[in-house]
Amino acid sequence: QYDLGYIETQPILTPSKFPLHYYSNAIIKRSFDFLFSLLVLIFIATWLFPIIALLIKLDSKGSVFFKQKRYGFHDEVFECIKFRTMIENEESATKTTSQNDSRITKIGRFLRKTSLDEMPQFINVLRGDMSVVGPRPHMLLIDEFYKAKIGRYSVRSLVKPGITGLAQVSGLRGDTGEMEIEMKKRILADSFYVKNWSLTLDIVIILKTILLVIKGDQKAI
């Protein structure tokens, strides 16, 4: 969160200034997030949500939605909303998802492959907890574990978490069996996003996300 500078030959540390630290950029991003989410909820969610809700109810017992606490902007905790993709279990907040996880339901597997399980997070965006594009929010225990291991990790909290992000459209998601190496790559992508944000970059990431939803993301589990 600091840049190295010099006064003549004397090195000094100055607080880093990222694009979204500027009020004008923050207003542009929030306005885009609000309008984009409103359009999605009005023109897509109004007919898609009832269909998904019915399929979830027919597939397994339990709530349609799944809520989990995540760290957000400046590490403030919020409730992240998703469609439920697993049978209801007590390990949902302590055990990460793995390949061929027996807890995932049939419709849940489809929702994960197409990332449709993330759609309710547009409600989080309207509330101001999240952004359409930004670093993906992790389970609390994952954040707490990696903060001590990866130096750049805290940079993620300098912007709101997103429904989609640069790391996700770059193929950096899912359990590869080498989670620490994979996480370092994700943090590099998230750091690049925070330091180089632009509305154009957000739009490119959204377009790439739409293509992944259409094709189905093979790394989604």
Side-chain angles (χ1 to χ4, degrees):
Q1 299 183 36
Y2 291 88
D3 291 325
L4 179 64
Y6 290 89
I7 296 179
E8 295 182 350
T9 59
Q10 180 66 41
I12 58 168
L13 290 174
T14 57
S16 298
K17 202 73 173 173
F18 300 137
L20 288 172
H21 284 168
Y22 295 97
Y23 190 68
S24 57
N25 287 341
I27 289 292
I28 290 170
K29 184 168 176 63
R30 177 58 185 157
S31 299
F32 176 82
D33 284 343
F34 186 86
L35 290 173
F36 187 87
S37 298
L38 199 61
L39 290 173
V40 169
L41 290 172
I42 291 172
F43 293 106
I44 299 177
T46 48
W47 59 267
L48 183 62
F49 278 25
I51 294 172
I52 294 176
L54 179 61
L55 292 173
I56 291 171
K57 279 294 188 182
L58 292 173
D59 191 35
S60 62
K61 294 179 181 179
S63 174
V64 169
F65 296 106
F66 171 72
K67 297 179 181 179
Q68 191 176 67
K69 293 186 184 300
R70 305 279 175 98
Y71 284 118
F73 186 51
H74 288 173
D75 285 335
E76 289 186 6
V77 176
F78 72 99
E79 276 198 334
C80 185
I81 311 170
K82 301 176 71 172
F83 281 120
R84 181 175 59 82
T85 58
M86 294 183 176
I87 57 173
E88 293 193 337
N89 65 95
E90 296 179 354
E91 297 178 312
S92 58
T94 57
K95 182 181 178 182
T96 57
T97 312
S98 58
Q99 288 285 354
N100 303 314
D101 198 312
S102 60
R103 296 174 297 166
I104 302 176
T105 62
K106 290 178 181 178
I107 186 62
R109 201 165 295 282
F110 168 76
L111 293 175
R112 283 171 174 267
K113 285 293 182 185
T114 55
S115 297
L116 289 175
D117 62 318
E118 313 287 359
M119 287 288 288
Q121 288 165 31
F122 283 107
I123 298 170
N124 282 122
V125 176
L126 283 186
R127 288 178 177 175
D129 298 323
M130 294 179 65
S131 179
V132 175
V133 180
R136 283 293 300 153
H138 297 145
M139 292 168 60
L140 298 184
L141 63 88
I142 290 179
D143 272 354
E144 289 160 3
F145 179 77
Y146 284 109
K147 273 179 188 175
K149 286 179 168 285
I150 303 174
R152 291 186 182 89
Y153 202 93
S154 60
V155 174
R156 291 164 41 87
S157 68
L158 298 179
V159 298
K160 290 180 182 179
I163 298 174
T164 185
L166 181 61
Q168 284 63 45
V169 299
S170 302
L172 301 173
R173 65 179 296 186
D175 187 356
T176 62
E178 298 179 325
M179 273 306 294
E180 189 163 340
I181 295 172
E182 190 73 11
M183 187 61 75
K184 286 180 179 178
K185 291 178 182 178
R186 291 182 200 177
I187 300 310
L188 281 173
D190 290 339
S191 298
F192 179 89
Y193 175 80
V194 172
K195 294 176 182 178
N196 298 277
W197 175 86
S198 69
L199 187 58
T200 302
L201 180 58
D202 273 6
I203 292 170
V204 169
I205 292 171
I206 290 169
L207 292 175
K208 285 188 173 184
T209 301
I210 293 170
L211 288 176
L212 280 175
V213 169
I214 294 170
K215 293 190 302 180
D217 191 346
Q218 298 304 312
K219 289 200 171 186
I221 57 173

